[in-house]
Amino acid sequence: MKVKPSESLKIDAFSMRIGDVQDVELDRLHALSLSVGWPHRAEDWQFLREVGQGFVALDEIGRVLGSAMWFPHGASFATIGMVITSPRLQTLGAAQWLMHRVFDKIPGRSQRLNATRAARRLYLSLDFQPEKTIYQCQGIARVPTTRSLAEVSGDIRTLDASNIPAAIALDAAGFGVERTALIEKLFAHSSGYGLFDGKKLTAFALCRPFGRGHVVGPVVAESDADAVALVRPHVADHSGSFLRVDTHMNNGEFAAFLSHAGMPVFDTVLTMSLGKRLPEFSAGGSARPKTYALASQTLG
Ligand SMILES: CC(C)(COP(=O)(O)OP(=O)(O)OC[C@H]1O[C@@H](n2cnc3c(N)ncnc32)[C@H](O)[C@@H]1OP(=O)(O)O)[C@@H](O)C(=O)NCCC(=O)NCCS
């Protein structure tokens, strides 16, 4: 008698091994982020590999089924990002496993990350504490017809490499820790506008290719009006194409400007931290200047 094959087949346990994110083909990393609907291009992964370190989870034939990266800044702080597990592997403990491997590499460092809704439970179970909401604003850019009510004092000029040290100092004031290597690298990939008081840089906004178009960030400024004045020329440069800004601001002139510039809130993520919080960054902190836009959700 011929046995009819079953309509279903249960495939369970398979083992994974850990690998270095630097050692796998870019296309495989790209396929992983595509599998969870993230917009990163292969070039965006390459940029992250150049500024950070990370692990991948590999199956028996070398397919990348998970990732987790970290980005150390200074001696006692790191951000974590690109925590992904392939849909077929989710809820089986793979992300926990990858996160513990990362923890082993950065003992004693305070950590910050931006958690998607899908990942909040994971990070809460690892003792991360919620800090602030991030608003992911994006869309087809258009220059708003309304002008800012507040005057900006100073000149807006394009940035060049000579402005890097001043930008590093401004970024550190807004972010809470100096990110020298990252800001240098971002300058190499970005166009930038700065607000100058004479020769002194008082605020800046970078913009670079990312995902579906371009991302504006970091933006560091002392006031909403200054931040708007610096993002506006980037909007003009990319008018009619896809532009994105990740910001903690959900009201005030800056948030209103983004919406008028064709970038309404698309989604939110939650900044969470583990260990000592950076005072400049904590909600209600009075540090000036402020970070108006992140470099990216992954980088903070
Ligand atoms: C978020 C993500 C990385 C979690 O990966 P994972 O491999 O499923 O996580 P784990 O299996 O290690 O689960 C860790 C914890 O979250 C819980 N969990 C995971 N997915 C869950 C779900 N869909 N519903 C309820 N709980 C869930 C697990 O039960 C576990 O909880 P516990 O520690 O209390 O036991 C994965 O879903 C993913 O890649 N999502 C898309 C990309 C993304 O959003 N990444 C996060 C970037 S910040």
Side-chain angles (χ1 to χ4, degrees):
M1 192 181 77
K2 202 172 172 196
V3 181
K4 196 168 174 259
S6 166
E7 292 295 317
S8 64
L9 172 66
K10 190 165 186 301
I11 299 178
D12 51 12
F14 57 94
S15 61
M16 286 182 306
R17 64 190 161 86
I18 203 88
D20 191 319
V21 77
Q22 311 288 350
D23 296 339
V24 290
E25 285 166 28
L26 218 42
D27 286 353
R28 294 187 178 227
L29 296 171
H30 190 206
L32 176 69
S33 52
L34 282 176
S35 77
V36 293
W38 282 12
H40 299 68
R41 306 162 306 154
E43 294 91 327
D44 299 325
W45 271 104
Q46 183 53 30
F47 181 88
L48 293 169
R49 291 207 293 196
E50 287 169 17
V51 294
Q53 299 164 61
F55 287 122
V56 285
L58 300 161
D59 71 4
E60 292 92 338
I61 58 166
R63 283 177 299 198
V64 177
L65 296 184
S67 64
M69 295 191 70
W70 69 95
F71 306 87
H73 300 293
S76 55
F77 179 79
T79 56
I80 292 180
M82 301 312 280
V83 179
I84 301 174
T85 56
S86 154
R88 56 192 269 237
L89 205 68
Q90 286 172 9
T91 73
L92 298 175
Q96 287 264 11
W97 178 63
L98 283 162
M99 286 297 291
H100 282 291
R101 300 299 303 250
V102 172
F103 292 160
D104 286 348
K105 286 285 181 185
I106 49 173
R109 283 179 187 265
S110 304
Q111 295 158 39
R112 192 194 290 162
L113 53 76
N114 295 312
T116 59
R117 233 166 264 114
R120 271 177 212 174
R121 180 168 155 176
L122 164 70
Y123 298 129
L124 285 172
S125 78
L126 293 168
D127 288 336
F128 279 83
Q129 302 297 314
E131 281 201 59
K132 287 184 186 179
T133 300
I134 290 176
Y135 302 86
Q136 179 179 335
C137 303
Q138 63 184 47
I140 302 302
R142 59 164 188 268
V143 181
T145 45
T146 50
R147 301 295 304 180
S148 173
L149 296 176
E151 280 295 311
V152 173
S153 65
D155 302 324
I156 292 176
R157 300 200 286 267
T158 54
L159 296 174
D160 61 36
S162 69
N163 305 121
I164 292 175
I168 289 169
L170 286 170
D171 177 72
F175 187 79
V177 63
E178 211 167 270
R179 305 191 285 179
T180 305
L182 176 62
I183 299 297
E184 284 172 355
K185 196 89 188 165
L186 285 167
F187 258 73
H189 284 73
S190 307
S191 60
Y193 292 100
L195 182 63
F196 290 85
D197 178 5
K199 283 190 171 166
K200 187 175 175 235
L201 182 71
T202 60
F204 73 95
L206 301 183
C207 177
R208 68 185 190 283
F210 173 80
R212 296 171 58 191
H214 284 74
V215 62
V216 182
V219 177
V220 183
E222 288 183 4
S223 69
D224 283 27
D226 289 357
V228 168
L230 288 166
V231 173
R232 186 183 283 272
H234 287 302
V235 170
D237 292 346
H238 298 287
S239 181
S241 59
F242 185 87
L243 200 57
R244 169 174 171 170
V245 176
D246 294 287
T247 181
H248 290 113
M249 311 294 165
N250 71 329
N251 52 36
E253 195 186 341
F254 186 72
F257 169 80
L258 295 181
S259 154
H260 292 141
M263 292 178 277
V265 176
F266 169 77
D267 200 1
T268 60
V269 293
L270 183 64
T271 302
M272 301 179 82
S273 61
L274 181 66
K276 192 166 158 265
R277 282 191 193 191
L278 300 172
E280 291 80 357
F281 184 78
S282 302
S286 58
R288 293 282 188 276
K290 287 186 281 200
T291 298
Y292 274 84
L294 278 56
S296 69
Q297 288 184 9
T298 294
L299 296 166

